[in-house]
Amino acid sequence: MNMQELKSLIYQGEKVDVECKKAQGKVPDSVYETYSSFANTKGGMIVLGVLEDKTKVIPEERFIIQGVDNHEKLREDFWNTINSQKVNANILVDDNVYAVEEDGIALLVIEVPRADFTVRPVYKGENPFKGTYKRNHEGDYHAKEYEVRAMIRDQSAEGNDSTILEGYSMDDIDADTLERYRIMFNSWNPQHVWRELPDKEFLEMLGGYRRDRREKVEGLTVAGLLMFGSGLAIRDEFDNIFMDYRNETDADDETRWVDRITYDGTWENNLFNFFRKVTPKLTEDLKKPFVLKDMQRIEDTQVHKAIREAFVNMIIHADYRMDAGVLKIVKFNDGFRFSNPGSLKLPKEQIYKGGESKARNPHMQTMLRMVGFGDNAGSGFPDILKIWSDNGWEIPELMEDTILNQVTLILKYKTDEVGESIFLDAKMSEEDEKNERRLSEALSEVMTASDYKKVEAIILYLEDNKYVTPQIAEKLTGKSAPTVRRYLKMLVETGYVRVDGSTSNIKYVI
């Protein structure tokens, strides 16, 4: 940039990503504190050669452009120091440090990018707990110990959720939660080799239980306990974590919310139960082409997918070791807000672009993906952006609060004159509504809860494959041929499938 552009930036005042320093004859020691704070927060620009008179209010009087005496020597001194043991890591390239000159006055500019998560914390000196800085609107501050530990945790290539928890075993798993998950897993993966594994081996394959042969220890991992553990066991280890969902549609001064899911003693407080209980409430107002009352999903709209993707992202990117961690979802008249503890591992620009996935909790990501939720190819957030754009809604806003150590995603959609949601791609035709009513009524009248689960497996298979044979249906349900024929006949009568082919090669086509 030229001097006029730089002055314009300076006169806007010091802020979270701009710092001015006097530095006439030498590089001030405080530069390396600011270098650390910018690298560990969102990046920023250090300008050397500017005197600040804090008694003045008018920007042109408050920030005095003095310049530096010898910018070439100053630049050389800075490079020599940044490459020494003054700081633990040099994340700059040549183009990040340059002089801006005009009328014999030179300012030295140092552009500090946000450090990659594999490098953070960037710190001054040799002790990260004493030399790590972060940035807020007031300037540089010493990072708290839990903030430093969070950066160190994020360096792991395996993520944060594979750690074996000392003293935790399969006894700390809530059996009902794991059983519900396994039913969904079997429906989504009818031919998978993990279906018949005992619970411990099943969890081990998912990353919820681990053996460390080198250290000769084994037990539940962070992912296994948080996803499927009993509420009491989770609170013993993660007493800082709190899960909260609020429906604040039509809320007023007297009624703060119309529905809430939080710790009330009626459910085991693990992540899978939270996800399972809250997801239907987020999408219950969306019209669906086809749905069953106990189904997690049968046929989706793109809007359903985007909302679920936002929920999955919140879970798999949260830092559950933060000093105060709240997983909070709020449903408003015009959208949703998802908040989780932690920071962004990737720059916001990279997240919006997509193509790279760096989940903080990759094993939780696998667990959800294996039952049909989430994407691990780095396309999840761009998918949300596209779906919102296709509907003409506001661009989703991803915000990082580096002071509260919290990430928030806001999804807003347009409303009509009476405040009702307009979901352009989620309309249900009269024929679809008719089919839904007929199928739901027919199944609920003649089937037990156990049989109902078997039919769900057939329908899920149909959604992926468009047709099913009696032989495949028998394998999916584990039922006899006469029972399966009864199931398939009911689906024909509802209009959900039609019969195709002769008796010897009959198929039921969706």
Side-chain angles (χ1 to χ4, degrees):
M1 62 178 66
N2 59 39
M3 183 64 80
Q4 293 306 311
E5 292 170 332
L6 186 55
K7 284 183 178 179
S8 177
L9 190 65
I10 293 169
Y11 292 150
Q12 292 177 28
E14 290 185 329
K15 47 187 179 179
V16 71
D17 58 354
V18 176
E19 174 76 17
C20 298
K21 296 184 183 293
K22 183 179 177 182
Q24 278 186 291
K26 65 177 184 177
V27 179
D29 190 63
S30 62
V31 162
Y32 304 102
E33 297 172 3
T34 304
Y35 166 78
S36 167
S37 72
F38 282 161
N40 293 324
T41 312
K42 298 180 180 180
M45 177 183 290
I46 304 170
V47 183
L48 303 185
V50 180
L51 174 66
E52 181 180 5
D53 184 352
K54 295 184 179 181
T55 65
K56 304 294 185 181
V57 176
I58 300 174
E60 288 79 358
E61 296 177 355
R62 184 182 183 98
F63 297 97
I64 303 167
I65 310 298
Q66 290 186 322
V68 296
D69 292 340
N70 187 336
H71 68 80
E72 292 181 354
K73 182 178 184 304
L74 216 61
R75 185 173 185 270
E76 181 181 353
D77 289 346
F78 173 78
W79 277 118
N80 289 336
T81 305
I82 206 75
N83 287 316
S84 70
Q85 295 182 344
K86 186 75 172 182
V87 294
N88 70 309
N90 176 14
I91 62 171
L92 305 179
V93 297
D94 284 349
D95 289 345
N96 290 135
V97 185
Y98 56 91
V100 177
E101 298 181 82
E102 183 180 81
D103 298 331
I105 294 178
L107 300 177
L108 190 65
V109 177
I110 305 168
E111 294 183 356
V112 184
R114 177 176 181 154
D116 188 83
F117 69 91
T118 60
V119 177
R120 296 193 296 263
V122 173
Y123 53 91
K124 177 183 173 184
E126 299 181 355
N127 187 335
F129 295 101
K130 292 183 178 180
T132 297
Y133 291 82
K134 291 186 68 178
R135 184 79 175 178
N136 60 23
H137 287 283
E138 284 71 43
D140 309 323
Y141 71 92
H142 268 109
K144 301 176 180 63
E145 181 178 341
Y146 71 83
E147 293 178 308
V148 177
R149 293 194 184 280
M151 294 183 221
I152 294 173
R153 284 196 302 273
D154 282 346
Q155 293 177 356
S156 171
E158 289 77 30
N160 294 7
D161 63 351
S162 62
T163 303
I164 298 174
L165 297 172
E166 184 178 354
Y168 286 83
S169 67
M170 290 298 295
D171 293 338
D172 296 302
I173 291 294
D174 178 59
D176 290 340
T177 302
L178 186 57
E179 181 182 6
R180 279 192 291 266
Y181 177 85
R182 297 199 68 161
I183 289 172
M184 290 181 62
F185 181 93
N186 291 345
S187 295
W188 273 93
N189 307 278
Q191 310 298 327
H192 206 289
V193 295
W194 297 352
R195 287 167 52 100
E196 306 303 324
L197 291 175
D199 284 347
K200 187 165 77 171
E201 284 75 9
F202 178 75
L203 270 184
E204 192 169 2
M205 300 305 292
L206 289 171
Y209 191 96
R210 191 164 72 85
R211 308 168 194 266
D212 188 328
R213 291 178 173 81
R214 180 174 299 175
E215 298 295 330
K216 296 181 180 179
V217 295
E218 64 177 81
L220 289 181
T221 64
V222 170
L225 180 65
L226 282 173
M227 285 292 284
F228 306 117
S230 68
L232 181 60
I234 290 173
R235 291 191 293 276
D236 282 345
E237 181 70 20
F238 297 94
D239 60 349
N240 58 312
I241 293 298
F242 187 75
M243 307 171 203
D244 191 25
Y245 161 76
R246 296 185 185 186
N247 182 345
E248 296 185 5
T249 57
D250 301 320
D252 52 36
D253 294 337
E254 296 182 359
T255 306
R256 294 172 59 193
W257 60 81
V258 295
D259 187 20
R260 188 179 186 187
I261 294 177
T262 187
Y263 295 177
D264 58 5
T266 62
W267 57 286
E268 290 291 347
N269 310 135
N270 54 53
L271 288 174
F272 183 69
N273 278 342
F274 185 60
F275 184 81
R276 186 180 60 85
K277 290 172 72 69
V278 172
T279 298
K281 292 182 176 292
L282 295 176
T283 59
E284 63 186 354
D285 299 330
L286 307 185
K287 293 184 178 181
K288 311 173 185 70
F290 192 91
V291 67
L292 289 176
K293 60 184 179 183
D294 289 332
M295 292 294 290
Q296 192 68 39
R297 85 190 232 199
I298 292 180
E299 185 165 332
D300 287 330
T301 67
Q302 291 298 302
V303 177
H304 285 79
K305 178 182 178 181
I307 294 171
R308 280 198 312 272
E309 187 70 39
F311 199 168
V312 169
N313 282 348
M314 182 183 77
I315 290 174
I316 68 175
H317 293 298
D319 187 341
Y320 297 100
R321 291 292 188 185
M322 267 296 168
D323 189 50
V326 179
L327 289 166
K328 186 173 183 179
I329 304 174
V330 182
K331 182 177 181 179
F332 301 105
N333 287 324
D334 63 346
F336 308 89
R337 184 175 68 224
F338 299 83
S339 298
N340 63 264
S343 60
L344 297 175
K345 289 188 73 171
L346 297 176
K348 190 183 298 185
E349 298 77 15
Q350 180 63 51
I351 296 171
Y352 273 80
K353 180 181 178 182
E356 188 174 359
S357 179
K358 296 295 181 184
R360 188 169 271 115
N361 305 295
H363 296 294
M364 294 182 192
Q365 184 177 34
T366 297
M367 292 167 181
L368 291 170
R369 180 172 52 82
M370 293 301 288
V371 290
F373 302 109
D375 189 304
N376 67 342
S379 62
F381 194 75
D383 283 347
I384 296 174
L385 296 175
K386 183 178 185 305
I387 292 165
W388 244 242
S389 175
D390 289 347
N391 282 279
W393 298 333
E394 293 184 23
I395 298 174
E397 185 177 6
L398 184 64
M399 300 180 295
E400 180 184 26
D401 190 323
T402 57
I403 308 304
L404 297 178
N405 296 293
Q406 177 177 280
V407 174
T408 298
L409 173 63
I410 296 178
L411 301 178
K412 286 190 176 183
Y413 49 79
K414 294 178 182 177
T415 57
D416 61 19
E417 293 179 357
V418 296
E420 295 181 352
S421 305
I422 304 174
F423 293 102
L424 303 181
D425 65 346
K427 298 297 183 182
M428 185 190 296
S429 69
E430 291 184 7
E431 185 64 25
D432 286 332
E433 290 179 339
K434 179 180 173 183
N435 282 341
E436 178 183 357
R437 288 194 302 271
R438 289 166 63 187
L439 181 58
S440 298
E441 291 169 1
L443 297 183
S444 61
E445 286 176 4
V446 302
M447 286 192 170
T448 64
S450 176
D451 283 342
Y452 200 91
K453 286 293 180 185
K454 303 300 183 182
V455 174
E456 288 182 351
I458 296 174
I459 294 174
L460 283 171
Y461 183 86
L462 281 165
E463 291 299 322
D464 288 336
N465 300 278
K466 303 307 177 187
Y467 75 89
V468 67
T469 65
Q471 293 78 19
I472 292 176
E474 289 174 27
K475 293 180 180 179
L476 291 172
T477 61
K479 293 293 186 178
S480 65
T483 300
V484 167
R485 283 198 298 270
R486 179 167 62 87
Y487 292 167
L488 294 173
K489 181 181 178 183
M490 291 181 58
L491 294 178
V492 172
E493 290 174 350
T494 63
Y496 186 59
V497 296
R498 60 179 171 81
V499 180
D500 188 22
S502 59
T503 303
S504 59
N505 62 352
I506 191 171
K507 293 192 298 186
Y508 294 81
V509 182
I510 191 168

